[in-house]
Amino acid sequence: MSANIAKRRLDYQRATYQVQQIELEFELHPTATRVLAVSQLQRHVVGADTLWLDGQQLTLVSLQVNGVEWSQKTQNDDGILLSGLPEQFELKVRTVLDPAANSALEGLYLSNGAYCTQCEAEGFRRITFYPDRPDVMAVFTTHIIANDSIPFLLSNGNLIAKHQLADGRVRVSWHDPFPKPSYLFALVAGDFDELCGDFVTQSGRQVALKFYVDKGQGAKATFALEALKRAMRFDEEVYGLEYDLDIYMVVAVDFFNMGAMENKGLNVFNSKFVLADAATATDTDYFNIESIIAHEYFHNWTGNRVTCRDWFQLSLKEGLTVFRDQQFSAAMGSATLCRIDAVKTIRTAQFAEDASPMAHPIRPDVVEEMNNFYTVTVYDKGAEVIRMQHTLLGAEGFRRGMDLYFQRHDGQAVTCDDFLAAMQDANQVDLGQFSLWYSQSGTPELTAKLEQTSTGVQLHLQQQTPATADQPNKQPVLLPLRYELHDANGRIETGILQCSGAQQVFCFDGLKMPVVPVLLADFSAPVKLNYAYQTDELLYLCQHAHDGVARWDAMQQLWSDLVRQSVQQQQIATIPAQMLDVLRQFIQQPLADLAFTAELLTLPGYDTLAEQYAEIPVEMILSALEHYQQQLAETFAADWLALYQRLLPVPYVYTEQQVGLRALRNTALRYLLRCNNTPASLWQQQYTEADNMTDKLAVLQGLVRAGHAETSRMLQQFLQQHGDNVQLFDKHSALVASIGDNSVFGLMDMVAQTALFDWKNPNRVRALYAVFGQQNPAMFHQADGEGYQRLTSVIAKADSINPQLASRLVTPLLSFRRFAPKRQALMRQALEQLSQQQLSPDLSEKLGKALHG
Ligand code: TRP
Ligand code: ZN
């Protein structure tokens, strides 16, 4: 059992020494790579003569200080403490690593035969002994020695030398002039297809863009390359930020723990977020590729040029960079649709995290395993917190703050407080109360009421944040409330209020009740809103609100009200006739924005609804959703068909218009697949004639969700046709994992036994089991606990291979306290069984909190 040590934000201490320069030399070998690290260090804390070097799972060959083997050292499993050190010295460390045995995918590992590194957050310590903390920033030079059979030997910065050694091996050298923390180091070596492009910056500098992907896949990187250029242009135009090296490289690998990594000048990507063509990628895949390419590019300034002082500050770079990639995606397509996507993430995964044993502020205070804090709270709630600053200060004020932030901190490792200070000072505002968003976890709940007065209308607001697992007491936070007030005389008032009190009243003179309010237009704050809307008010808003997000939200609210009534009455509530009328109208006369219309015609998901209950009524939510979807399908059968037939497919291009067309057409298809009298030829024709994966997959998804009799035959056919392509193999796995009946267990076992399935590849495991745990509530929560048992046995297996992967899979089980006693007991039992085993620090931290927190 590993005894985890909790680290605290407030215990921060400066590094005793800074590293000015480091020169690394790798002699690559699959099982015995030799690493020589020569660093120049300089005392940084007066009087200190000790230095902690992190190092894990390394074989130490030698360690010298100024050319002398250093004996004043003590070593444990996590590193070495050096003492008696001079003011300045050269540290020379030789280590040996075994990349082939590295299944954790942290440090140096092999992905399909290519060498690859992943150092964030604390992976560099698996390469050499080093002060592996982000506030130690050094200039890196990297030499790579390998057989000449490996054509591409890559590292950060610019290529400075390449020659053949006497023994026939090749030695290449890279130099990165920008000082950086060790987590941004990268090395890649392998044989790839190379796709080249170029970009001229606004100041006229030429940048070479290079993508490295599996042999034969080069053409599939074209979209990502073009997306990169769009992102580079965007950052110049919106923030005045230019790229700073002569070369920008992106490598796509199959074995990867997350989406992508922003290593300076050498991004490494999960191949699923680079490779795309119409035959293998869906519209959603294209969207994700563009946004992740942009995200990693934007890190060059928000993350790399200005980095984090310590890992508690992770949201400094991640929240800000997610906000920037969201701005970019909104500019590339439909801003409303992007916003709806982000709102769904907050209302599902983030609200769930805040209500779970893992609750933490966007800037956590206590961390055992840093990898556990790359969370939807740090990333996505973090982005909401940046967005609120943007809303409060306005686009220009926000830009002033960004400019000052870079002016002050370029080349530094800083804190979230430094960011806030820049925003504050550039705008002469006081963000003191606002800063609670960084330190306080939990989801604020806002209750609103309207009242008529002699002069107008009053808005009464109450704010309250329930206790979370990590913090019992909460204070009111400052939040921007974007509103629209539609009054009885047809007057519409819009604006932004600053809510800051536990109770507050705002007056709107001249308005006359009844007033229909939009509160939180564009989801202006990541909170839950309670307002006693009448059905007809929500129906009015979903047609007449100015803000698109508010229109969608009103429709979502109508559905969640119906589900709530059903839960209360223990019987499915009837859909009001006027609501059906409005829905019919949207089907018969789609709005100009087809993708938006599709969202209006889609019910909230199980997980959005689940987050609205203290104790989650699993069965009632699921049966109400099933019932309402079936009712919409049958009530509007003829309208769905007419809509479907009107939206004719066009030769595939990824454009906003086409994405909308396919989204609405496939929404109609989803309902049609639930109607008995829909002829099989309709969906079969779409499946066989589609020139793209979006439309093909929509058929299969529709069959799975409708529980259609042809599902398993079609899934098998898909696997036979496409199962040799890993991206499509994963799509098949995800479809199997979403099957809503008992056959899912046997079918998942079969997938896990096919030749392409690989327990060491996180994409394979996630496509099957993360999808099962997170997107198949009916079977995951099956009353006998089978789903829980399945997931925990997978987690146990994954943990011995890849702790990061296992730790992410456990999320849906951690919330067991949210369920009725019987189910809760089964979930807890599954977790307790898991905790009997030898677990990674990653899983122990989470299980410890869930079971004993
Ligand atoms: N910094 C990366 C991003 O946000 C994500 C990241 C953190 C990561 N740790 C990782 C990626 C480990 C892969 C593996 O873009
Ligand atoms: Zn990031």
Side-chain angles (χ1 to χ4, degrees):
M1 260 312 182
S2 46
N4 286 8
I5 299 167
K7 285 144 275 183
R8 286 165 200 283
R9 177 171 63 91
L10 295 176
D11 290 346
Y12 173 80
Q13 291 196 323
R14 279 151 58 92
T16 51
Y17 285 78
Q18 274 292 335
V19 182
Q20 258 91 39
Q21 285 180 41
I22 173 169
E23 195 146 341
L24 286 158
E25 185 182 80
F26 290 80
E27 282 183 80
L28 295 178
H29 184 283
T31 57
T33 290
R34 289 195 281 183
V35 182
L36 168 63
V38 184
S39 314
Q40 311 302 323
L41 290 95
Q42 165 82 48
R43 185 173 290 155
H44 192 50
V45 171
V46 180
D49 71 346
T50 62
L51 171 64
W52 173 254
L53 300 175
D54 298 292
Q56 285 174 351
Q57 292 169 36
L58 292 170
T59 305
L60 178 64
V61 176
S62 70
L63 187 152
Q64 297 179 349
V65 171
N66 287 334
V68 180
E69 193 64 31
W70 204 248
S71 56
Q72 298 179 59
K73 63 176 199 280
T74 52
Q75 184 169 359
N76 67 22
D77 282 352
D78 293 318
I80 299 175
L81 183 68
L82 302 181
S83 44
L85 295 167
E87 166 128 23
Q88 271 185 5
F89 62 96
E90 180 181 273
L91 176 69
K92 192 181 249 186
V93 185
R94 290 181 194 273
T95 50
V96 179
L97 351 162
D98 184 352
N102 183 352
S103 61
L105 314 184
E106 239 188 317
L108 180 68
Y109 63 93
L110 286 170
S111 170
N112 287 333
Y115 293 87
C116 169
T117 56
Q118 173 55 44
C119 294
E120 189 178 4
E122 298 178 330
F124 193 73
R125 62 191 62 183
R126 293 173 187 222
I127 292 175
T128 188
F129 288 91
Y130 191 78
D132 186 14
R133 42 188 288 170
D135 60 347
V136 171
M137 297 171 78
V139 172
F140 279 64
T141 305
T142 309
H143 311 282
I144 309 171
I145 299 172
N147 289 332
D148 62 0
S149 61
I150 307 181
F152 296 100
L153 303 173
L154 314 174
S155 190
N156 317 84
N158 301 310
L159 180 68
I160 52 169
K162 176 171 187 169
H163 35 251
Q164 195 99 28
L165 300 180
D167 61 10
R169 290 184 299 172
V170 179
R171 185 179 195 263
V172 303
S173 304
W174 294 82
H175 178 75
D176 177 2
F178 295 96
K180 66 168 176 289
S182 49
Y183 83 88
L184 290 172
F185 168 78
L187 175 153
V188 172
D191 193 3
F192 302 103
D193 267 5
E194 183 182 39
L195 181 73
C196 299
D198 53 74
F199 183 84
V200 180
T201 68
Q202 62 184 6
S203 71
R205 286 202 8 270
Q206 188 95 23
V207 182
L209 311 178
K210 292 174 188 270
F211 280 69
Y212 298 94
V213 304
D214 276 358
K215 293 293 268 179
Q217 310 272 293
K220 288 195 196 169
T222 313
F223 176 77
L225 171 62
E226 293 306 315
L228 174 60
K229 294 179 194 169
R230 291 192 284 275
M232 294 176 88
R233 195 59 77 206
F234 179 90
D235 222 15
E236 293 183 345
E237 284 170 357
V238 177
Y239 289 103
L241 297 173
E242 234 180 79
Y243 188 59
D244 52 9
L245 286 166
D246 303 333
I247 178 168
Y248 191 89
M249 296 175 280
V250 174
V251 183
V253 298
D254 278 336
F255 286 70
F256 205 65
N257 274 336
M258 307 246 264
M261 180 63 213
E262 70 264 23
N263 316 301
K264 183 80 186 189
L266 179 55
N267 288 181
V268 178
F269 270 63
N270 187 325
S271 52
K272 89 179 229 193
F273 296 120
V274 173
L275 302 175
D277 62 14
T280 55
T282 61
D283 289 338
T284 307
D285 294 326
Y286 277 92
F287 179 89
N288 290 335
I289 289 169
E290 185 169 56
S291 100
I292 295 174
I293 286 277
H295 179 97
E296 305 313 329
Y297 175 72
F298 295 157
H299 268 317
N300 190 53
W301 279 95
T302 51
N304 302 3
R305 289 287 289 257
V306 183
T307 194
C308 301
R309 187 192 71 173
D310 56 74
W311 289 120
F312 299 99
Q313 317 295 328
L314 179 62
S315 203
L316 173 80
K317 74 177 179 81
E318 296 303 347
L320 179 54
T321 304
V322 171
F323 172 71
R324 278 152 49 67
D325 84 53
Q326 289 176 352
Q327 276 191 310
F328 169 73
S329 296
M332 294 301 110
S334 156
T336 303
L337 266 278
C338 289
R339 196 65 195 128
I340 288 174
D341 256 15
V343 175
K344 287 179 185 169
T345 301
I346 297 293
R347 285 191 177 151
T348 56
Q350 203 285 318
F351 284 0
E353 187 160 83
D354 258 338
S356 85
M358 269 297 286
H360 54 278
I362 65 167
R363 182 188 58 202
D365 285 314
V366 189
V367 166
E368 289 176 22
E369 172 49 60
M370 190 54 213
N371 286 324
N372 279 342
F373 288 83
Y374 287 77
T375 59
V376 47
T377 298
V378 166
Y379 274 63
D380 296 86
K381 185 178 178 182
E384 294 298 318
V385 171
I386 300 292
R387 181 179 294 271
M388 288 190 283
Q389 295 173 51
H390 187 273
T391 306
L392 290 166
L393 302 172
E396 282 174 20
F398 186 77
R399 170 69 195 267
R400 276 197 296 278
M402 290 289 278
D403 289 350
L404 185 59
Y405 175 64
F406 293 119
Q407 198 182 309
R408 284 181 177 172
H409 301 300
D410 187 11
Q412 299 176 0
V414 304
T415 63
C416 297
D417 286 336
D418 292 320
F419 181 84
L420 268 178
M423 282 293 152
Q424 197 167 251
D425 297 349
N427 291 284
Q428 268 122 54
V429 291
D430 178 2
L431 293 173
Q433 189 188 3
F434 184 84
S435 72
L436 281 170
W437 281 107
Y438 285 85
S439 56
Q440 192 165 280
S441 56
T443 307
E445 292 178 10
L446 209 58
T447 303
K449 278 195 194 84
L450 288 177
E451 262 169 34
Q452 182 80 59
T453 65
S454 51
T455 55
V457 168
Q458 281 184 340
L459 172 63
H460 294 253
L461 291 174
Q462 267 182 29
Q463 186 193 138
Q464 196 254 334
T465 303
T468 49
D470 62 327
Q471 285 175 346
N473 302 313
K474 309 285 181 181
Q475 291 165 256
V477 291
L478 170 68
L479 59 94
L481 185 119
R482 204 187 278 277
Y483 64 89
E484 287 176 23
L485 301 174
H486 298 237
D487 95 338
N489 300 325
R491 241 182 87 178
I492 301 172
E493 256 191 53
T494 63
I496 297 171
L497 299 172
Q498 300 202 3
C499 307
S500 55
Q503 311 233 9
Q504 255 179 312
V505 181
F506 294 93
C507 300
F508 300 90
D509 286 342
L511 285 188
K512 187 159 175 289
M513 291 288 265
V515 166
V516 188
V518 171
L519 303 160
L520 296 176
D522 206 38
F523 196 58
S524 60
V527 304
K528 291 184 180 176
L529 173 72
N530 301 311
Y531 179 84
Y533 282 111
Q534 302 297 308
T535 300
D536 58 337
E537 295 178 319
L538 290 169
L539 286 169
Y540 169 86
L541 288 180
C542 72
Q543 298 171 91
H544 303 294
H546 292 186
D547 174 56
V549 175
R551 296 182 66 180
W552 166 77
D553 214 8
M555 190 55 95
Q556 295 273 298
Q557 189 65 51
L558 284 160
W559 289 117
S560 64
D561 286 351
L562 280 171
V563 174
R564 183 170 294 279
Q565 275 176 46
S566 307
V567 169
Q568 278 160 1
Q569 303 159 4
Q570 282 303 297
Q571 167 184 338
I572 309 278
T574 312
I575 306 178
Q578 323 95 283
M579 182 168 161
L580 289 172
D581 289 343
V582 171
L583 287 164
R584 178 182 288 109
Q585 196 184 306
F586 288 134
I587 305 172
Q588 290 179 347
Q589 292 150 29
L591 306 165
D593 186 342
L594 300 183
F596 181 63
T597 312
E599 289 293 343
L600 286 175
L601 294 171
T602 302
L603 273 60
Y606 163 84
D607 36 359
T608 298
L609 295 168
E611 276 329 296
Q612 301 170 357
Y613 297 86
E615 184 183 294
I616 301 173
V618 179
E619 274 83 8
M620 199 44 155
I621 294 177
L622 288 171
S623 56
L625 281 176
E626 229 359 78
H627 176 94
Y628 293 136
Q629 292 181 88
Q630 196 59 35
Q631 187 181 344
L632 289 195
E634 287 164 13
T635 308
F636 302 126
D639 301 289
W640 292 123
L641 186 61
L643 178 64
Y644 182 81
Q645 286 170 340
R646 208 158 4 121
L647 300 167
L648 295 177
V650 285
Y652 187 89
V653 190
Y654 177 72
T655 61
E656 195 188 340
Q657 284 75 12
Q658 280 207 13
V659 170
L661 183 142
R662 283 187 285 273
L664 186 56
R665 186 167 193 263
N666 288 324
T667 299
L669 174 72
R670 229 174 24 244
Y671 287 110
L672 286 166
L673 285 172
R674 290 176 172 270
C675 300
N676 280 330
N677 49 4
T678 298
S681 60
L682 180 138
W683 57 266
Q684 282 168 352
Q685 193 179 347
Q686 172 163 337
Y687 185 79
T688 48
E689 288 178 10
D691 68 348
N692 67 85
M693 191 44 59
T694 308
D695 287 337
K696 255 193 191 316
L697 206 65
V699 174
L700 300 180
Q701 276 164 349
L703 291 171
V704 170
R705 288 192 216 174
H708 198 284
E710 291 276 17
T711 307
S712 67
R713 188 181 68 81
M714 291 299 294
L715 289 186
Q716 241 171 321
Q717 186 188 322
F718 182 82
L719 186 64
Q720 273 157 17
Q721 256 174 19
H722 302 293
D724 54 341
N725 172 300
V726 288
Q727 263 84 312
L728 296 181
F729 180 83
D730 286 349
K731 288 183 174 19
H732 171 267
S733 300
L735 288 162
V736 168
S738 335
I739 289 174
D741 63 57
N742 239 301
S743 68
V744 69
F745 299 115
L747 291 169
M748 286 203 301
D749 288 343
M750 277 170 62
V751 172
Q753 279 150 23
T754 45
L756 258 183
F757 193 85
D758 180 355
W759 284 96
K760 291 191 170 144
N761 186 307
N763 286 0
R764 293 306 89 75
V765 176
R766 279 187 296 245
L768 196 58
Y769 297 111
V771 169
F772 175 70
Q774 289 161 30
Q775 291 172 50
N776 191 349
M779 299 319 296
F780 176 64
H781 289 297
Q782 181 169 281
D784 63 0
E786 175 76 8
Y788 311 141
Q789 288 296 328
R790 290 289 178 137
L791 191 66
T792 43
S793 69
V794 165
I795 293 167
K797 182 162 185 169
D799 195 44
S800 60
I801 300 171
N802 183 334
Q804 284 188 51
L805 171 65
S807 184
R808 284 170 178 271
L809 290 172
V810 83
T811 303
L813 285 162
L814 298 179
S815 300
F816 63 84
R817 291 199 166 82
R818 302 277 306 275
F819 296 89
K822 226 172 134 192
R823 184 165 268 132
Q824 187 175 134
L826 290 167
M827 293 175 90
R828 179 198 282 273
Q829 194 191 336
L831 284 179
E832 267 162 2
Q833 282 165 10
L834 187 59
S835 72
Q836 304 298 302
Q837 317 201 9
Q838 176 90 19
L839 296 177
S840 64
D842 310 53
L843 265 185
S844 331
E845 176 174 33
K846 288 189 180 176
L847 292 195
K849 282 181 175 166
L851 294 170
H852 319 293

